[in-house]
Amino acid sequence: MDAPTTTSAGNGTSGDNGGGGGWFTPRKAPKQPEGGESARPEGGEPESAEGRRVAAIRPLGRSGAVESPSASEGHPEGQPAPQRAPEGRIPAAPEGAEPGGTPQQQPQGQSGAPQPPQQSQPAPQPQPQQPQARSEPRPSSPKGSPDAILVQRTMAEIGPVSDKVTSYFYALLFTRHPDLRPLFPAAMDTQRDRLLKALLTAAEHIDHTDVLLAYLKNLGRGHRKYGTQPEHYPAVGECLIGSLSRYASAVWDDDTEAAWVRTYTKISQIMIDAAAADELRAPAWWLAEVVSHDLRTPDIAVVTVRPDQPYPFLAGQYTSLETPWWPRIWRHYSFASAPRSDGLLSFHVKAVPAGWVSNALVHHARPGDVLRLGPPAGSMTVDHTTDSGLLCLGGGTGIAPIKALVEDVAEHGERRPVEVFYGARTDHDLYDIDTMMRLQQTHPWLAVRPVVDDHAQFPDAVREFGPWNEFDAYLSGPPGMIRSGVDALRDVGIPAGRIRHDSVEELVATGD
């Protein structure tokens, strides 16, 4: 998932707000105005019942270290454990109030955007932790470190009301830090779930060190394009915990709060360090001029761009892309070829209903238009240290990175077998079949099998071929296809460790 951790200005620079507070003071504090002690922006709100600020937590700041703290530790090395706050929970919403839009919309009765509690509203008392599972339990008992167990318990509690958690989170963020609101997209419907989902996904994997580090480093590097700075993280952490404490009140206590503080501290520091390291070797974004626009079908285009400076990437990876028609709205697209000597990059784009970016690229982009590209990401790349065969499943425009993988194998001069299943709902949707068949004619080690299935269950076709026990599997396409594809591949005996695809959640927007 590619969600800005806090802000994205139209010109790619951050706002002036330091965003600090007492919650998560940066390890290396940003410069303070003369005579100032607080990291809060000038004119920041005073302490109130809106939500207390926890002091003595100093986890963030660019440490200059490339390596991030171990995900198995309770807090970054050398940092004191957070103190438990003696006061009540944060924040308390008026009874019956529902989270809504931005703070500019004043509540009218039970509708409109929520406001944090008024001064007269007492903070609710913490509820005793429930030893028994809720009526909607997780599939299995929480496992892992004490912090991970508390995080998982919180996640189980908020699962049925995740939409309310998300809305309340943004209401808190924009009420407490109104200067951040203009830095987000004007319409929040497409942005709405991304930020919170990214944070919660990371928190849920807090004990899975390898997964967590790779995921967060990619996020940290990617968020540079939004202009995110270390001092922006406190506002997000403060409002994340405020929203969780509001909707997980049945299981929320001082231990849970401390676990989330440590978890968010760890998450933030990994991202900050990754961004600091990346800043030494790459720009925050690349400008890229459209040089060709090939409309393959009424709703699918191959868009080729020329970056303004070298753009290093690997076949099978993807990037985030912003158009001039929808500033601050980024979407993921896979590279449709291996790196080329001329430096050009191509993307296969399908216009989807109500897809802002995809429709702009398919129906409005023309040579001469300038786009912005984020850094490359993704792990669906070829391991050239082995001679295993490649079993590739590409559905719809998901054939783009599969084509790049085939070119990558060819450029390395390898003769390892590559089997490609190209799936589509109709013959019309096999828009790149001619290119794939030409590649098959050129490379005897390549087999291409088009599969037309209007039920989108084409991964089942792999059962008719094989065996596949000597193959590494690669999947790219709609989320449903990836899920069914993974099941089909495991059913035919391919171990999970040899099945490669990028996060379904991140790539929900191969288009929009």
Side-chain angles (χ1 to χ4, degrees):
M1 86 211 93
D2 188 88
T5 303
T6 52
T7 66
S8 60
N11 61 358
T13 60
S14 63
D16 294 331
N17 173 41
W23 264 97
F24 301 96
T25 306
R27 181 189 301 162
K28 181 179 178 182
K31 275 192 173 182
Q32 301 293 336
E34 286 192 16
E37 296 181 357
S38 171
R40 285 199 302 256
E42 189 175 11
E45 73 275 17
E47 186 76 23
S48 71
E50 174 189 336
R52 59 179 171 74
R53 305 291 193 264
V54 177
I57 302 178
R58 303 180 178 276
L60 304 181
R62 298 195 179 198
S63 65
V66 176
E67 291 302 319
S68 303
S70 169
S72 63
E73 298 172 349
H75 52 278
E77 185 176 355
Q79 297 301 312
Q83 296 179 356
R84 294 181 188 173
E87 302 177 22
R89 304 275 60 77
I90 57 139
E95 287 299 320
E98 291 297 329
T102 67
Q104 286 83 1
Q105 300 169 321
Q106 298 300 321
Q108 299 293 332
Q110 297 298 312
S111 62
Q115 294 291 326
Q118 302 299 316
Q119 294 282 353
S120 60
Q121 178 71 25
Q125 295 301 312
Q127 299 295 322
Q129 191 164 321
Q130 303 296 323
Q132 302 297 325
R134 287 172 52 86
S135 58
E136 298 183 21
R138 297 177 64 89
S140 59
S141 299
K143 298 178 181 178
S145 66
D147 281 359
I149 291 173
L150 292 173
V151 165
Q152 291 174 37
R153 184 176 297 154
T154 307
M155 300 284 282
E157 183 76 12
I158 67 171
V161 291
S162 57
D163 286 348
K164 293 181 179 180
V165 175
T166 302
S167 296
Y168 192 72
F169 165 78
Y170 279 111
L172 282 181
L173 185 64
F174 297 154
T175 300
R176 290 178 173 177
H177 307 274
D179 52 317
L180 300 187
R181 180 60 185 93
L183 304 179
F184 281 79
M188 288 292 291
D189 51 348
T190 55
Q191 162 67 28
R192 186 171 169 271
D193 296 333
R194 295 183 176 218
L195 171 53
L196 191 64
K197 185 178 291 184
L199 293 172
L200 295 180
T201 298
E204 198 164 24
H205 289 84
I206 199 65
D207 278 355
H208 305 157
T209 307
D210 293 342
V211 173
L212 183 73
L213 288 177
Y215 178 69
L216 291 177
K217 286 181 178 181
N218 275 334
L219 281 182
R221 289 188 290 263
H223 290 172
R224 290 183 57 217
K225 66 181 178 288
Y226 298 103
T228 305
Q229 300 295 323
E231 56 267 29
H232 292 151
Y233 286 78
V236 174
E238 173 187 316
C239 298
L240 168 67
I241 292 181
S243 187
L244 293 174
S245 66
R246 166 71 170 86
Y247 284 97
S249 59
V251 298
W252 196 267
D253 58 15
D254 285 345
D255 288 339
T256 302
E257 183 171 289
W260 274 98
V261 168
R262 289 190 292 268
T263 297
Y264 182 79
T265 293
K266 189 181 304 179
I267 289 170
S268 302
Q269 196 64 57
I270 294 170
M271 294 176 66
I272 288 171
D273 289 347
D278 192 59
E279 188 174 1
L280 301 177
R281 57 178 177 260
W285 67 78
W286 287 253
L287 297 177
E289 180 183 358
V290 176
V291 296
S292 71
H293 185 279
D294 179 11
L295 196 63
R296 297 288 182 87
T297 75
D299 60 355
I300 296 177
V302 176
V303 181
T304 302
V305 302
R306 177 184 292 112
D308 62 339
Q309 51 189 307
Y311 188 102
F313 72 99
L314 299 175
Q317 289 190 305
Y318 61 91
T319 187
S320 50
L321 188 153
E322 179 200 49
T323 73
W325 300 279
W326 295 106
R328 301 185 296 281
I329 295 186
W330 297 75
R331 292 292 181 267
H332 290 131
Y333 293 95
S334 296
F335 300 105
S337 67
R340 297 165 49 168
S341 59
D342 59 11
L344 298 181
L345 310 173
S346 292
F347 307 96
H348 293 187
V349 184
K350 180 174 183 178
V352 299
W356 298 353
V357 176
S358 64
N359 277 282
L361 290 171
V362 172
H363 301 303
H364 299 289
R366 293 295 180 267
D369 291 331
V370 177
L371 313 175
R372 283 207 300 172
L373 305 178
S379 58
M380 199 181 75
T381 57
V382 177
D383 181 359
H384 292 288
T385 66
T386 75
D387 57 1
S388 301
L390 273 64
L391 171 59
C392 303
L393 282 65
T397 53
I399 197 63
I402 300 301
K403 175 174 152 309
L405 294 177
V406 171
E407 294 178 355
D408 190 32
V409 172
E411 289 178 7
H412 279 76
E414 300 165 2
R415 300 184 64 84
R416 58 204 295 185
V418 179
E419 302 275 344
V420 174
F421 289 81
Y422 182 3
R425 293 181 180 273
T426 67
D427 290 333
H428 175 75
D429 293 326
L430 294 171
Y431 68 93
D432 210 32
I433 189 62
D434 291 343
T435 302
M436 298 305 299
M437 298 310 292
R438 283 195 299 269
L439 286 170
Q440 178 179 251
Q441 293 171 0
T442 304
H443 307 296
W445 41 262
L446 172 64
V448 178
R449 296 185 175 92
V451 180
V452 177
D453 182 352
D454 61 358
H455 297 294
Q457 296 298 320
F458 93 91
D460 291 337
V462 302
R463 303 175 195 274
E464 302 175 16
F465 301 88
W468 304 115
N469 53 303
E470 297 297 327
F471 283 71
D472 292 330
Y474 296 79
L475 299 93
S476 177
M481 187 225 88
I482 292 179
R483 293 187 183 100
S484 61
V486 169
D487 291 340
L489 294 175
R490 296 190 69 173
D491 286 347
V492 297
I494 300 180
R498 300 184 72 170
I499 300 175
R500 303 187 181 189
H501 62 86
D502 285 312
S503 166
V504 172
E505 288 74 18
E506 286 185 29
L507 295 178
V508 163
T510 297
D512 288 66

